[in-house]
Every structure is written in structure tokens, then in C-alpha cells.
């Protein structure tokens, strides 16, 4: 997840961390080294250590958007939601169209139980990024959870159009159809997936729901 670093075992991450620490000892204020060390801390779920690295970076460059974004990510994992919100908002002050920051802020609002606020943020995401699959998927997931099925159906349909090969989006669309009582439409969608060779095991539970 973090900054394009390749997957490694925990021991390999720790070895990498030791090497980075040695480089930082020789070059204490190298921003790239601190970002790399923090990324490894995140991979090892060492949230506090990662936050300390981002604080070091932000003391020298308070508008470093990468440090703000990943510090918010770490704060979210620690359930320090107000601090995460602050970092995401600081990013959006600098770059109002920052897709990932607004999605992250919406997610934090959901975790805090503020679903209407989260929905408002996701509406902005879709308005600013009408070709973003992640915006439609995030909004559709929340709308489904809120039982706003008509709106969710539209967003899942948009996600399907943008990524027609994604079976998960199509199953989510079918799930909403079933929740709305539109079983005939759901059956047509399931039959279409079956005809395309989608694994029958993935479809079986949906077929049972429309009997």
C-alpha cells in the first residue's frame, strides 16, 4: 500500500528499516529517507513510529502533502480521528481536488458515525472526479449501508460502466436490486454473469435469495 514499496516479509522489512536508520544517522534531515522509513513503519503497523517520522518531515516542510496524507492514515488506524481529520483538511486547503484525501476524510467521518457528512464529502468527490471509479464505489457502499437504494443502484451502475470486468461491482449492483425487491432484474443480471463463465459458487447465494 505504501508508496510503491515491494512486498516483503516482516524480517525483510526490519532489515530494510535497520539499513534506513543507518542512512538517516548519516543524513538526519533527508526527507526522502524519512518518508521511506515511515513507509516501512506503516508496513510493520508501527503507527507511532511512522507518525514521529512524519512529524519530523512536517517540522521542516509543513505543507508536505505526502507526510500529511500518510500521517492521517496512521492516525485513522490508531482511532485518533480528530487528528486524522485535521491532516486531511490541511491537504484539502492546499489542494481542494485531492481525491485520496477527500476519500480518506469521508471514511473517517463514517468511522465516527457521521454518515451524512461522509456522504456530502463523497458527493464532492464524484462532482470533482466524474471518471473516478473509487468515488462511485465509496458512495455506493455508503448509500447501500444507509439503505438509499435508488442512489446506490445508480452509483454501482456507474462503477460497472467504468470497469465492466469487475464482478464485485456487478454483484453489489445485484445485491441492491434484490434489496429493492427487483428479483426479475437481479435474475437477468445473474444469468448474464453465469453466461460469461463467472464462478457458480460466487452466484449461488444470490440465486437462493431470489427464489
Amino acid at each position: 500500500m505504501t508508496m510503491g514499496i515491494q512486498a516483503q516479509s516482516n524480517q525483510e522489512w526490519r532489515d530494510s528499516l535497520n539499513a534506513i536508520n543507518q542512512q538517516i544517522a548519516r543524513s538526519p534531515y533527508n526527507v526522502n529517507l524519512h518518508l521511506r522509513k515511515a513507509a516501512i513503519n506503516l508496513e510493520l503497523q508501527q503507527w507511532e513510529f511512522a507518525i514521529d517520522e512524519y512529524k519530523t518531515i512536517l517540522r521542516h516542510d509543513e505543507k508536505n502533502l505526502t507526510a500529511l496524507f500518510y500521517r492521517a492514515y496512521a492516525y485513522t488506524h490508531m482511532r485518533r480521528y480528530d487528528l486524522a481529520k485535521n491532516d486531511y483538511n490541511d491537504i484539502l486547503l492546499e489542494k481542494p481536488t485531492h481525491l485520496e484525501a477527500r476519500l480518506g476524510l469521508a471514511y473517517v467521518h463514517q468511522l465516527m458515525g457521521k454518515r451524512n457528512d461522509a456522504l456530502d464529502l463523497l458527493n464532492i468527490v464524484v462532482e470533482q472526479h466524474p471518471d473516478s471509479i473509487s468515488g462511485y464505489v465509496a458512495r455506493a457502499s455508503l448509500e447501500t449501508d444507509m439503505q438509499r437504494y435508488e442512489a446506490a443502484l445508480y452509483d454501482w451502475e456507474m462503477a460497472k460502466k467504468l470497469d465492466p470486468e469487475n464482478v464485485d461491482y456487478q454483484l453489489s449492483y445485484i445485491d441492491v436490486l434484490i434489496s429493492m425487491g427487483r428479483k426479475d432484474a437481479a435474475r437477468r443480471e445473474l444469468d448474464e454473469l453465469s453466461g460469461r463463465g463467472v464462478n457458480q459458487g460466487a452466484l449461488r447465494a444470490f440465486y437462493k435469495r431470489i427464489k
Side-chain angles (χ1 to χ4, degrees):
M1 141 307 139
T2 48
M3 302 174 63
I5 297 179
Q6 294 180 350
Q8 300 184 57
S9 68
N10 269 11
Q11 185 56 53
E12 288 172 326
W13 283 124
R14 294 181 188 282
D15 291 342
S16 297
L17 191 59
N18 289 333
I20 290 288
N21 281 331
Q22 293 174 22
Q23 293 177 62
I24 289 175
R26 295 191 295 270
S27 182
Y29 302 118
N30 185 309
V31 170
N32 287 331
L33 288 177
H34 284 290
L35 285 173
R36 288 170 59 193
K37 180 180 183 297
I40 296 171
N41 291 140
L42 292 182
E43 291 289 349
L44 292 170
Q45 299 185 16
Q46 297 172 341
W47 312 119
E48 285 284 10
F49 288 133
I51 287 168
D52 287 343
E53 293 302 316
Y54 295 129
K55 286 180 178 178
T56 296
I57 294 165
L58 292 164
R59 278 197 295 270
H60 295 274
D61 178 9
E62 63 182 16
K63 294 182 179 180
N64 188 301
L65 300 189
T66 300
L68 284 169
F69 179 82
Y70 284 106
R71 187 171 69 173
Y73 174 82
Y75 279 142
T76 301
H77 276 273
M78 296 181 70
R79 301 183 181 181
R80 297 167 72 175
Y81 300 135
D82 285 333
L83 293 175
K85 282 172 53 182
N86 290 341
D87 281 349
Y88 285 132
N89 280 320
D90 284 346
I91 294 171
L92 292 168
L93 283 174
E94 291 297 315
K95 191 175 180 182
T97 59
H98 196 294
L99 171 64
E100 292 81 4
R102 203 171 294 276
L103 286 172
L105 184 58
Y107 180 59
V108 169
H109 277 289
Q110 290 182 65
L111 292 173
M112 297 176 74
K114 299 179 178 180
R115 296 191 296 180
N116 287 326
D117 291 340
L119 188 58
D120 288 341
L121 288 163
L122 293 173
N123 288 338
I124 295 173
V125 169
V126 172
E127 181 180 342
Q128 291 179 337
H129 306 276
D131 295 325
S132 167
I133 297 173
S134 56
Y136 288 109
V137 169
R139 192 170 70 172
S141 298
L142 178 56
E143 289 163 340
T144 303
D145 187 52
M146 297 172 73
Q147 298 184 8
R148 298 187 177 190
Y149 294 132
E150 286 287 355
L153 199 65
Y154 169 81
D155 283 340
W156 285 123
E157 189 165 20
M158 289 300 299
K160 283 172 52 186
K161 288 180 179 178
L162 291 168
D163 187 1
E165 300 304 316
N166 190 301
V167 174
D168 287 337
Y169 300 162
Q170 296 178 57
L171 291 176
S172 294
Y173 178 77
I174 292 167
D175 177 67
V176 173
L177 286 174
I178 296 172
S179 296
M180 296 173 72
R182 296 173 58 180
K183 293 185 177 181
D184 289 342
R187 182 179 298 279
R188 287 194 295 271
E189 294 287 329
L190 285 168
D191 289 345
E192 191 272 333
L193 287 178
S194 180
R196 283 169 44 192
V198 173
N199 185 285
Q200 291 300 310
L203 306 180
R204 190 173 298 117
F206 289 90
Y207 274 116
K208 285 182 179 179
R209 290 172 61 192
I210 60 175
K211 283 184 176 180

